[in-house]
């Protein structure tokens, strides 16, 4: 990489331009977040100075304390974790089963089945907000974990199925056939053979499901009204309504929500990159 | 060959849970939306069953058309501005040597953070009093460019589009980057041996190989522009004066703000129809561009 110094592109001036361009994009990507973290450590009065960034003096850790107490971060965080864990688990299992039929089994309706999944990929989740609100209301599913968990899973299935199918099509059937001859049932094949060998893809689907569920908020604010089931986004919404003037704590909440994801991303960059590109790059 | 792979009971067992989810939470609500769209349902009850919602939308609702136009506008902006730039940046990144990895990580960070955080962050960045954007303009002597970025109906839509692009850039970039990394290295070596410049190599080898990925991503871009809801919902809620209304936000405000549940459902139905049509058009348009490799 970069060994070809003889090409014109490698000239010093174009290298400077190259790095300048990339540096500007990197700066634009990251600087708003630096600004956000900076504000989370300032006194509310310090916002209005003329500096672009101001050194926090002293650091206003009290903003973070307020974030936790006023924003209910810990309670809502727990709810987000509960919803995410259930969604990820069920999505992986259900999608894997469905994909196995489409990719492997001799069934004349498979074409229609995958067509159905394809159509679901196009339906925007927001167009089901109102009817689901109505349905959940009728069957008393509104305002509990299920009103978040069930539609989240349903909308994650199509993409997950396509990722699984892509993987299954590249894996040979030999092991499965051997296992069946040895007397394993088909359910056994799916869970004891396919599941272990598709670990990397399961990780991809899991990451995708996690990010989607973690970041989902429109269903949450539509279906959830009681404090017991509120998820993380409500911590932030709390501050844009009730405590609108407490900017310091608001920025602290934002930092608290954003930072774990950023750290997680830095730790597992390659895994996450693979996950997010799995569906779209293979085409 | 083996009966197990043809056994109806096994098939039923394996597809049942998935089908229940898809039918129950994607297709059933779609059908219910279709049904309610013909009524004047207000969340409690309805009296009529007719086409008046659709008639009102098509004949007397300029805001709906504005929402549709905004959705198309965002889709176009993504295709014309964001994606070519993302391809270029992804190509350049592969020449950044030891900076390649850090750059990739940094540029993707905005995409990993929840929309509800970044939207709120941009509301602050664009704030008239303490926002960074106006402050920067002052700092470089352009104070006459200062704006109420989200409060001015003529400008708010551009601010929204900018933020949507900022948020989505990392993802588009990453997809192209991954695609470029997937180009077989022998091709690169061969090109270098043949004396191709890096420019030429990217234009004549990488870009054509990337075209299936570009095609899929342009479809996704248009559809995602169409489906845009979160950023707008959190930043302006469709305002000021409906200038940043999108289909998603509009159906929401019709139903939950105005209590016009039937009308909102009619917008939902059209929303789905437009997404389907848009996907078909994009697929058709882009199919011809792909050569054989």
């Amino acid at each position: 990489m970069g060994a070809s110094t003889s090409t014109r592109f490698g000239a010093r001036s174009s290298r400077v331009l190259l790095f300048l361009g990339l540096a500007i994009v990197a700066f634009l990507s990251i600087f708003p977040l630096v600004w956000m973290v900076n504000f989370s450590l300032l006194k509310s009065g310090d916002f209005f100075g003329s500096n672009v960034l101001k050194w926090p003096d002293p650091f206003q850790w009290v903003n973070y304390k307020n974030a936790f107490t006023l924003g209910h971060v810990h309670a809502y965080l727990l709810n987000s974790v509960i919803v995410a864990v259930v969604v990820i688990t069920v999505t992986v299992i259900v999608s894997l089963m469905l994909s196995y039929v489409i990719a492997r089994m001799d069934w004349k309706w498979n074409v229609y089945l995958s067509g159905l999944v394809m159509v679901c990929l196009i339906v925007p989740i927001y167009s089901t907000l109102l009817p689901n609100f109505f349905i959940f209301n009728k069957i008393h599913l509104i305002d509990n974990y299920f009103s978040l968990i069930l539609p989240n899973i349903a909308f994650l299935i199509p993409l997950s199925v396509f990722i699984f199918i892509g993987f299954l099509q590249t894996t040979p059937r030999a092991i499965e056939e051997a296992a069946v001859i040895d007397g394993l049932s088909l359910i056994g094949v799916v869970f004891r053979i396919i599941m272990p060998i598709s670990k990397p893809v399961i990780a991809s689907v899991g990451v995708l499901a996690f990010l989607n569920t973690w970041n989902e908020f429109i269903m949450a604010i539509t279906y959830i009204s009681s404090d017991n089931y509120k998820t993380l986004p409500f911590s932030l919404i709390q501050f844009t309504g009730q405590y609108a003037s407490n900017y310091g704590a608001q920025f602290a909440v934002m930092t608290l929500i954003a930072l774990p994801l950023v750290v997680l991303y830095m730790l597992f960059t390659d895994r996450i990159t693979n996950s997010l590109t799995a569906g779209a790059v293979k085409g | 060959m083996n009966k197990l792979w043809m056994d109806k009971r096994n098939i039923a067992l394996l597809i049942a849970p998935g089908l229940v989810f898809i039918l129950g939470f994607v297709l059933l609500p779609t059908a219910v939306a279709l049904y309610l769209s013909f009524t004047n349902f207000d969340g409690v009850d309805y009296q009529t069953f007719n086409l008046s919602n659709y008639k009102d939308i098509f004949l007397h609702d300029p805001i709906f058309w504005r929402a549709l136009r905004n959705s198309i506008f965002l889709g176009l902006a993504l295709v014309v501005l964001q994606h070519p730039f993302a391809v270029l940046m992804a190509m350049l990144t592969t020449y950044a040597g030891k900076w390649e990895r850090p750059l990739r990580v940094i540029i993707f960070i905005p995409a990993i953070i929840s929309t509800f955080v970044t939207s709120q962050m941009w509301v602050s960045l664009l704030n008239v009093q303490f926002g960074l954007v106006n402050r920067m303009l002052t700092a470089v002597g352009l104070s006459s460019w200062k704006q109420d970025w989200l409060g001015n109906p003529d400008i708010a839509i551009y601010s929204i589009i900018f933020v949507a692009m900022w948020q989505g850039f990392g993802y588009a970039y990453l997809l192209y980057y991954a695609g470029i990394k997937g180009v077989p290295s022998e091709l690169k070596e061969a090109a270098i041996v043949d004396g191709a410049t890096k420019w030429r190599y990217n234009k004549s080898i990488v870009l054509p190989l990337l075209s299936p990925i570009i095609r899929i991503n342009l479809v996704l871009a248009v559809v995602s522009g169409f489906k845009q809801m979160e950023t707008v919902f959190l930043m302006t809620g469709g305002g000021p004066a409906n200038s940043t209304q999108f289909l998603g936000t509009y159906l929401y405000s019709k139903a939950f703000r105005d209590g016009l549940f039937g009308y909102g459902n009619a917008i939902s139905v059209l929303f789905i129809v437009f997404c389907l049509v848009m996907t078909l058009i994009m697929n058709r348009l882009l199919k011809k561009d792909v050569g054989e490799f």
Side-chain angles (χ1 to χ4, degrees):
Chain A
M1 203 132 301
S4 49
T5 43
S6 61
T7 52
R8 259 179 282 158
F9 203 87
R12 179 169 282 269
S13 60
S14 48
R15 283 197 79 74
V16 171
L17 273 178
L18 162 76
F19 276 99
L20 204 64
L22 287 167
I24 290 172
V25 174
F27 176 81
L28 279 176
S29 303
I30 203 76
F31 191 73
L33 296 160
V34 174
W35 185 81
M36 176 180 86
V37 177
N38 177 244
F39 261 40
S40 76
L41 292 164
L42 294 179
K43 278 205 294 276
S44 282
D46 287 344
F47 294 171
F48 300 95
S50 58
N51 300 356
V52 169
L53 287 180
K54 187 178 189 301
W55 186 254
D57 186 31
F59 280 62
Q60 295 292 314
W61 296 112
V62 66
N63 288 337
Y64 282 84
K65 213 182 121 209
N66 288 338
F68 265 97
T69 52
L70 303 176
H72 303 284
V73 173
H74 50 290
Y76 296 170
L77 185 82
L78 182 68
N79 285 335
S80 280
V81 170
I82 292 171
V83 172
V85 168
V86 178
V87 169
I88 293 168
T89 316
V90 179
T91 303
V92 165
I93 294 173
V94 169
S95 311
L96 185 65
M97 286 160 63
L98 193 58
S99 334
Y100 190 80
V101 172
I102 298 178
R104 283 282 201 272
M105 300 190 55
D106 304 314
W107 192 38
K108 59 179 175 186
W109 292 82
N110 269 345
V111 186
Y112 301 103
L113 187 61
S114 52
L116 186 74
V117 175
M118 187 64 141
V119 169
C120 291
L121 199 60
I122 300 170
V123 173
I125 196 163
Y126 311 120
S127 67
T128 63
L129 273 174
L130 310 186
N132 268 343
F133 182 76
F134 166 76
I135 298 168
F136 292 167
N137 232 341
K138 279 260 167 193
I139 58 177
H140 303 292
L141 217 63
I142 206 90
D143 199 22
N144 63 40
Y145 290 130
F146 289 107
S147 48
L148 295 182
I149 290 171
L150 299 175
N152 259 323
I153 296 171
F155 275 91
L156 280 164
I157 287 176
L159 191 57
S160 311
V161 165
F162 279 104
I163 296 175
F164 276 127
I165 290 177
F167 172 76
L168 287 175
Q169 278 167 348
T170 60
T171 12
R173 290 166 176 238
I175 316 171
E176 295 153 60
E177 279 163 6
V180 170
I181 290 164
D182 286 349
L184 199 61
S185 73
L186 198 73
I187 303 297
V189 169
V190 172
F191 288 101
R192 305 216 351 231
I193 310 259
I194 296 295
M195 203 131 160
I197 61 167
S198 38
K199 255 187 207 147
V201 207
I202 290 179
S204 299
V205 170
V207 168
L208 209 67
F210 171 69
L211 287 177
N212 261 304
T213 318
W214 200 254
N215 296 340
E216 203 293 319
F217 76 94
I218 291 195
M219 287 195 303
I221 61 169
T222 310
Y223 303 148
I224 301 294
S225 51
S226 57
D227 246 2
N228 294 339
Y229 306 110
K230 284 181 174 172
T231 48
L232 265 186
F234 282 95
S235 307
L236 192 53
I237 291 164
Q238 197 101 8
F239 282 97
T240 54
Q242 214 171 341
Y243 305 102
S245 55
N246 196 342
Y247 286 116
Q250 186 185 327
F251 279 87
V253 170
M254 283 152 64
T255 308
L256 280 173
I257 301 174
L259 221 52
L261 276 183
V262 173
V263 172
L264 213 64
Y265 172 58
M266 302 254 227
L267 288 176
F268 301 104
T269 309
D270 295 319
R271 176 79 266 152
I272 294 175
T273 305
N274 290 341
S275 307
L276 294 172
T277 51
V281 172
K282 281 195 202 102
Chain B
M1 188 200 90
N2 198 299
K3 284 214 166 77
L4 280 182
W5 277 287
M6 299 168 75
D7 183 35
K8 289 267 152 56
R9 197 140 34 102
N10 280 332
I11 293 175
L13 205 64
L14 287 174
I15 64 171
L19 272 186
V20 167
F21 276 106
I22 285 180
L23 295 176
F25 301 98
V26 183
L27 297 176
L28 174 70
T30 304
V32 170
L34 186 64
Y35 178 75
L36 291 176
S37 70
F38 294 113
T39 70
N40 59 352
F41 189 52
D42 58 3
V44 188
D45 211 354
Y46 58 85
Q47 287 89 33
T48 61
F49 190 86
N50 55 37
L51 281 170
S52 67
N53 288 328
Y54 291 99
K55 224 189 284 172
D56 283 351
I57 288 175
F58 282 106
L59 299 177
H60 314 292
D61 193 349
I63 301 168
F64 174 82
W65 296 106
R66 183 157 200 175
L68 186 61
R69 212 169 56 222
N70 283 342
S71 304
I72 295 172
F73 191 35
L74 175 59
L76 280 180
L78 295 178
V79 169
V80 175
L81 296 175
Q82 186 185 55
H83 282 254
F85 191 53
V87 174
L88 180 68
M89 282 297 140
M91 281 177 174
L92 291 181
T93 307
T94 59
Y95 294 104
K98 63 176 180 194
W99 290 99
E100 196 174 324
R101 201 181 147 90
L103 271 169
R104 196 191 78 200
V105 173
I106 289 175
I107 295 178
F108 190 68
I109 281 178
I112 205 90
I113 298 172
S114 329
T115 315
F116 62 87
V117 170
T118 51
S119 304
Q120 221 46 58
M121 182 185 82
W122 275 100
V123 169
S124 305
L125 285 160
L126 297 169
N127 184 289
V128 187
Q129 287 147 28
F130 63 77
L132 179 70
V133 176
N134 277 346
R135 209 180 280 185
M136 288 268 219
L137 287 174
T138 313
V140 295
L142 290 169
S143 25
S144 59
W145 289 20
K146 278 164 56 172
Q147 284 292 345
D148 184 358
W149 298 101
L150 294 171
N152 183 337
D154 295 327
I155 291 175
I157 185 68
Y158 300 104
S159 307
I160 292 284
I161 286 176
F162 174 80
V163 174
M165 286 211 254
W166 179 84
Q167 166 99 41
F169 182 77
Y171 190 52
Y173 162 88
L174 190 70
L175 292 175
Y176 295 125
Y177 176 83
I180 292 169
K181 287 309 235 187
V183 172
S185 57
E186 303 91 66
L187 287 178
K188 181 168 188 170
E189 281 149 23
I192 290 168
V193 170
D194 289 348
T197 60
K198 285 181 180 157
W199 170 247
R200 185 69 207 262
Y201 162 73
N202 276 305
K203 194 174 128 239
S204 309
I205 296 175
V206 178
L207 210 54
L209 282 173
L210 215 53
S211 67
I213 299 172
I214 294 178
R215 186 175 74 93
I216 283 207
N217 285 316
L218 290 186
V219 177
L220 288 179
V222 170
V223 174
S224 78
F226 230 80
K227 287 183 179 176
Q228 172 62 47
M229 155 107 188
E230 306 194 346
T231 307
V232 189
F233 188 85
L234 282 162
M235 289 185 68
T236 62
N242 289 309
S243 62
T244 60
Q245 214 60 272
F246 282 69
L247 293 174
T249 52
Y250 190 47
L251 75 87
Y252 201 90
S253 69
K254 272 293 167 193
F256 292 109
R257 196 196 59 202
D258 302 345
L260 297 170
F261 228 75
Y263 199 84
N265 275 307
I267 302 171
S268 292
V269 170
L270 292 173
F271 192 8
I272 298 172
V273 171
F274 284 128
C275 281
L276 286 170
V277 170
M278 216 60 184
T279 311
L280 288 178
I281 293 177
M282 284 303 289
N283 268 323
R284 193 56 58 83
L285 274 182
L286 291 162
K287 207 159 238 167
K288 295 188 189 87
D289 291 352
V290 187
E292 278 178 40
F293 303 99

